[in-house]
Amino acid sequence: MPADDISRARSLLQAAGRVLVFTGAGVSAESGVPTFRGAGGLWKQFRPEELATPQAFARDPRLVWEWYAWRRGLVAACAPNAAHEAIARACGRAGVLVTQNVDDLHERAGTPDVIKLHGSLFVDRCSRCAWSGPAAPVDATSEATLPRCACGALLRPGVVWFGEGLPEDQFERAGHAAEACDVCLVVGTSGAVHPAAGLVHTARAAGADIVVVDPGETAFDAIAAVKLEGGAAAMLPRLF
Ligand code: OAD
């Protein structure tokens, strides 16, 4: 990694009045949470259409719950890494954090306000009415043991599935932050999933400099002012 690139990125961040940090699964990779795409990614091992769509839940809610209960356990056993911690410190000063992640590692690292575009693994919500609340333990041994809402319908994980809209309030706040930022720091996301990925293009179109931290290729490499090819836990503490 050329030292020049790190110092250019650092100068951009230092000069910026407003920084938007936009994260994806890669920021949690070094904590032990698997990413979705690439080697070892969840979508290499599992089929999203069987586990992460409303149709999959209607067809086999037990299977879907089993998978999400496994992911909850996996994340609960992980701890925030140096990247989550550096982001928490930076956002405590003059930054806004928007994440696509459904884990809770940014919150556990102490980021004051996390805009979550794809919901949370640790929220349950009703598959029929508007109820939502903190996740309760799930017994996914049979359909009869799955959690139910007071209205009688099955509860479901509080995450956004393929084919569903993003939470409007969160997406609107993220859009305003993208339009207003001077630097958009993109960490650990392939940029494959829209509309979330569109925020980085919104920031660029509004004049922001894009800084990308990712060891692999991303959809944002062509519009990045600086691309830092490396792991987030090593890079982020060097930037702030
Ligand atoms: P992806 O799995 O698509 O991309 C992960 C990115 O992290 C890749 O660009 C990797 O190169 C990078 N990466 C791997 N290790 C890293 C490390 N140590 N440090 C920094 N980066 C690293 O994950 P997302 O872009 O987050 O949707 O995926 C977007 C959405 O697709 C997810 O939110 C999820 C998924 O389907 C929903 O849950 C709705």
Side-chain angles (χ1 to χ4, degrees), residues 38-115:
L42 290 173
W43 297 149
K44 286 274 190 307
Q45 229 185 314
F46 301 101
R47 291 160 61 84
E49 57 277 28
E50 284 171 10
L51 297 165
T53 66
Q55 294 80 5
F57 188 73
R59 204 163 45 232
D60 193 346
R62 198 206 61 77
L63 177 72
V64 171
W65 262 122
E66 184 177 55
W67 193 64
Y68 279 94
W70 169 72
R71 287 181 61 201
R72 280 180 180 176
L74 192 157
V75 169
C78 294
N81 65 49
H84 298 103
E85 281 158 13
I87 291 168
R89 285 192 299 274
C91 288
R93 290 194 296 270
V96 175
L97 173 62
V98 175
T99 189
Q100 300 164 89
N101 295 347
V102 296
D103 68 41
D104 60 351
L105 298 182
H106 283 303
E107 292 91 325
R108 281 200 261 150
T111 300
D113 177 20
V114 185
I115 300 178

Side-chain angles (χ1 to χ4, degrees), residues 22-31 33-39 41-43 48 52 67-68 71 81 83 99-102 117-119 159-162 164 166 186-194 196-197 213-220 227-228 230-236:
F22 179 66
T23 64
V27 77
S28 300
E30 287 156 276
S31 292
V33 182
T35 62
F36 294 94
R37 298 166 187 81
L42 290 173
W43 297 149
W67 193 64
Y68 279 94
R71 287 181 61 201
N81 65 49
T99 189
Q100 300 164 89
N101 295 347
V102 296
L117 295 180
H118 291 163
V159 300
V160 175
W161 283 328
F162 288 100
E164 294 186 316
L166 272 47
V186 183
V187 186
T189 172
S190 60
V193 173
H194 283 262
V213 177
D214 197 301
E217 257 180 53
T218 81
F220 312 117
K227 164 87 184 277
L228 301 174
M235 286 298 167
L236 270 286

